[in-house]
Amino acid sequence: MPDTTPELWTTEEAAEHLGIKPKSATGLLSRRGVKRVDVIRHPVSGRAVARWRADEIRSVAADRRPGRRTDRP
């Protein structure tokens, strides 16, 4: 039987895939309606680490329009 557990990425992994900073990734994912799956504790620091579904991150990355601001000369 195949494994049906979704692949989960931390915010840092999602940011790396998207090519942006972790805080920017959190904001982008929130604006796109992507929900966190859960929050775990970092094994060393003990800080909270959000995890997201990797397939949703890939979908956001595919939809992004890379480019630059057009309101400035």
Side-chain angles (χ1 to χ4, degrees), residues 5 7-8 11 13 16-17 29 33-34 41 47-48 54 56 59 62-63 66:
T5 305
E7 180 182 6
L8 300 178
T11 302
E13 291 169 321
E16 184 177 331
H17 184 78
L29 296 172
V34 178
R41 292 285 170 191
R47 68 182 173 86
E56 292 181 358
S59 177
D63 264 0

Side-chain angles (χ1 to χ4, degrees), residues 3-67:
D3 183 13
T4 58
T5 305
E7 180 182 6
L8 300 178
W9 286 354
T10 64
T11 302
E12 287 77 16
E13 291 169 321
E16 184 177 331
H17 184 78
L18 294 166
I20 57 179
K21 295 179 181 179
K23 282 286 193 186
S24 298
T26 301
L28 174 65
L29 296 172
S30 176
R31 285 191 303 278
R32 296 291 177 97
V34 178
K35 302 289 185 201
R36 290 181 303 198
V37 174
D38 63 5
V39 177
I40 60 171
R41 292 285 170 191
H42 189 275
V44 177
S45 68
R47 68 182 173 86
V49 177
R51 294 194 305 176
W52 314 80
R53 289 178 59 108
D55 58 341
E56 292 181 358
I57 305 298
R58 290 185 192 105
S59 177
V60 167
D63 264 0
R64 285 187 75 214
R65 291 174 290 161

